[in-house]
Amino acid sequence: MPAQQDTSASAPGSLPEGARGSARPAPTHPRPPSAARPYVLEGVRVVLPTGVVDNGRLVVDGTRIAEHAPAGAPVLAAHGLWAVPGFVDLHNHGGGGASFTSGAVEDVLRGIHTHRLHGTTTLVASTVTGDMDGLAHRAGLLSELAEQGDIAGIHFEGPFISPCRKGAHSEELLRDPDPAEVRKLIDAARGRASMVTLATELPGGLDSVRLLAEHGVIAAIGHTDATYEQTVRAIEAGATVATHLFNAMPPLGHRDPGPIAALLEDERITVELINDGTHLHPAALQLAFRHAGAERVAFITDAMDAAGFGDGRYMLGPLEVEVADGVARLVEGGSIAGSTLTQDRAFERAVTVDRLPVESVVAALSATPARLLGLYDRIGSLEPGKDADVVLLDADFTVRGVLRKGTWVVDPFAGRADGR
């Protein structure tokens, strides 16, 4: 936890306007469809898989998006706002002053709620390197939250990573990816393990990738010192994700292309990108988008406790982190230690700084990660029958409303006479 920080949701941070002052986590179980009448959001710029619909309508019926509104359904004017699907974050270690790796249940819920305030309606909770018993215990706690629907799954980042590219992971706790130990974590997660990041060039790496693929768990190549050829072999074995591409791996070389070239060129690989202006030069982001396309790019936060909270000292697993001007670095060594990013900031930067089309940004924040998780039939786009996970953004791409499964997390209509 940070030194001398207030852990209430009203503490200084980057919460969107209208979201401050709510110290309670979002309800675990949203209200049932019968608790609310269907209604229409009118005048919104709806981003659909087929393109942008100006002056559009979005029908919300309970927890779902509907195709048609019944006669007499309330109409809520939302003119000038963008309506995009809720953001899906594959890689997130915490926020709001709370850690997914070490916090109690109420702390984890506070971190989840912090990211919901910024538009992330679906989140995979990531751990960091620790001892195996501790990670197995943490997996048990997080699996209960996954069963309740608070998170979409668990991502184990470490301990099966390269000491050469350890980043903000404790070197003393690193180990080779023994398939038996990988299986221990999968079993501890009780069917809720979504992804494991591995340095697949280490002894046991390829066998561990095959094990993960057999159990329906994403094998992600990251914190790796692999060559191009070793990375190709890992992809052939079943790896499908590049953990925060470019970061914690050898750079792209013209004689020794390393893992980056192999990961970008293979259509089976989804590449994670941290678009916070610190982890990546804009040219690197553009390179990834041009090579992989929005259908293979997943924006992630790699957020740690300070996301949506503030500068100060924090613990990331057993390592102490100093956050200054929104950048997290290890106290010893100065390595970047995750980020303080929230997905709304990644969206705004991608459109205004990187000049990416809104449709491509929406794909990278919602559709692509939803498909990777096998959840695209429920989330990732604003189509009838899917969950009513909606983010409303103004012309500056600032969050004005967040709807999760039909319940307002950030309510842009609070105080209206109709009660919405």
Side-chain angles (χ1 to χ4, degrees), residues 33-119:
S34 60
R37 295 172 60 195
Y39 60 93
V40 180
L41 296 174
E42 185 176 66
V44 287
R45 301 187 71 184
V46 186
V47 181
L48 299 174
T50 53
V52 178
V53 178
D54 290 318
N55 197 27
R57 289 161 57 92
L58 195 65
V59 181
V60 177
D61 186 355
T63 64
R64 303 283 183 175
I65 296 170
E67 187 168 3
H68 303 290
V75 176
L76 304 178
H79 297 279
L81 296 179
W82 291 88
V84 303
F87 307 142
V88 181
D89 195 354
L90 296 170
H91 187 154
N92 188 314
H93 298 279
S99 167
F100 299 155
T101 295
S102 59
V105 170
E106 57 269 24
D107 299 314
V108 176
L109 288 172
R110 186 172 71 250
I112 294 166
H113 184 57
T114 295
H115 286 282
R116 286 182 187 171
L117 293 171
H118 293 274

Side-chain angles (χ1 to χ4, degrees), residues 134-208:
L135 287 172
H137 176 75
R138 175 57 35 171
L141 181 150
L142 293 174
S143 67
E144 292 180 7
L145 295 178
E147 289 162 6
Q148 294 174 178
D150 293 296
I151 59 175
I154 306 166
H155 164 217
F156 297 100
E157 188 182 20
F160 312 115
I161 61 176
S162 171
C164 301
R165 305 284 175 178
K166 65 182 184 297
H169 291 256
S170 174
E171 185 168 357
E172 292 75 17
L173 296 172
L174 300 182
R175 58 183 65 213
D176 292 339
D178 180 344
E181 294 197 321
V182 174
R183 178 64 185 267
K184 178 180 179 179
L185 293 185
I186 295 174
D187 290 344
R190 303 199 303 251
R192 300 296 178 169
S194 294
M195 183 162 63
V196 177
T197 292
L198 306 159
T200 54
E201 75 278 9
L202 296 175
L206 294 184
D207 285 340
S208 293

Side-chain angles (χ1 to χ4, degrees), residues 355-367:
R355 302 296 180 182
L356 295 173
V358 169
E359 301 94 319
S360 295
V361 178
V362 167
L365 281 166
S366 302

Side-chain angles (χ1 to χ4, degrees), residues 55 97 311 381:
N55 197 27
D311 290 352
S381 66

Side-chain angles (χ1 to χ4, degrees), residues 41-358:
L41 296 174
E42 185 176 66
V44 287
R45 301 187 71 184
V46 186
V47 181
L48 299 174
T50 53
V52 178
V53 178
D54 290 318
N55 197 27
R57 289 161 57 92
L58 195 65
V59 181
V60 177
D61 186 355
T63 64
R64 303 283 183 175
I65 296 170
E67 187 168 3
H68 303 290
V75 176
L76 304 178
H79 297 279
L81 296 179
W82 291 88
V84 303
F87 307 142
V88 181
D89 195 354
L90 296 170
H91 187 154
N92 188 314
H93 298 279
S99 167
F100 299 155
T101 295
S102 59
V105 170
E106 57 269 24
D107 299 314
V108 176
L109 288 172
R110 186 172 71 250
I112 294 166
H113 184 57
T114 295
H115 286 282
R116 286 182 187 171
L117 293 171
H118 293 274
T120 298
T121 53
T122 301
L123 178 151
V124 174
S126 302
T127 63
V128 297
T129 293
D131 68 82
M132 291 297 295
D133 288 340
L135 287 172
H137 176 75
R138 175 57 35 171
L141 181 150
L142 293 174
S143 67
E144 292 180 7
L145 295 178
E147 289 162 6
Q148 294 174 178
D150 293 296
I151 59 175
I154 306 166
H155 164 217
F156 297 100
E157 188 182 20
F160 312 115
I161 61 176
S162 171
C164 301
R165 305 284 175 178
K166 65 182 184 297
H169 291 256
S170 174
E171 185 168 357
E172 292 75 17
L173 296 172
L174 300 182
R175 58 183 65 213
D176 292 339
D178 180 344
E181 294 197 321
V182 174
R183 178 64 185 267
K184 178 180 179 179
L185 293 185
I186 295 174
D187 290 344
R190 303 199 303 251
R192 300 296 178 169
S194 294
M195 183 162 63
V196 177
T197 292
L198 306 159
T200 54
E201 75 278 9
L202 296 175
L206 294 184
D207 285 340
S208 293
V209 168
R210 296 185 187 102
L211 173 73
L212 292 168
E214 289 170 4
H215 286 80
V217 179
I218 297 165
I221 300 172
H223 289 276
T224 177
D225 204 40
T227 64
Y228 173 88
E229 291 77 15
Q230 288 172 325
T231 305
V232 169
R233 287 195 287 272
I235 296 170
E236 291 298 328
T240 55
V241 166
T243 295
H244 42 55
L245 187 73
F246 300 108
N247 299 117
M249 59 183 62
L252 184 66
H254 64 293
R255 292 192 181 91
D256 184 9
I260 294 172
L263 294 165
L264 279 177
E265 72 184 10
D266 198 300
E267 294 183 357
R268 292 170 289 185
I269 295 293
T270 298
V271 299
E272 296 182 346
L273 297 177
I274 308 171
N275 193 25
D276 61 352
T278 298
H279 281 79
L280 296 176
H281 189 282
L285 181 138
Q286 291 288 348
L287 174 67
F289 259 90
R290 289 196 185 104
H291 236 75
E295 67 278 4
R296 287 181 48 216
V297 170
F299 279 140
I300 61 162
T301 61
D302 195 16
M304 46 80 71
D305 311 21
F309 197 66
D311 290 352
R313 290 232 172 168
Y314 298 78
M315 297 301 296
L316 186 60
L319 303 179
E320 192 171 16
V321 176
E322 178 77 33
V323 179
D325 297 325
V327 178
R329 294 186 180 275
L330 291 181
V331 172
E332 291 190 15
S335 293
I336 295 176
S339 85
T340 62
L341 185 64
T342 51
Q343 292 286 54
D344 56 338
R345 285 173 47 213
F347 192 116
E348 186 272 338
R349 180 178 176 84
V351 175
T352 62
V353 176
D354 302 308
R355 302 296 180 182
L356 295 173
V358 169

Side-chain angles (χ1 to χ4, degrees), residues 372-387:
L372 186 69
L373 292 172
L375 299 176
Y376 191 66
D377 60 328
R378 290 172 34 208
I379 61 173
S381 66
L382 301 180
E383 297 176 274
K386 292 193 174 185
D387 289 352

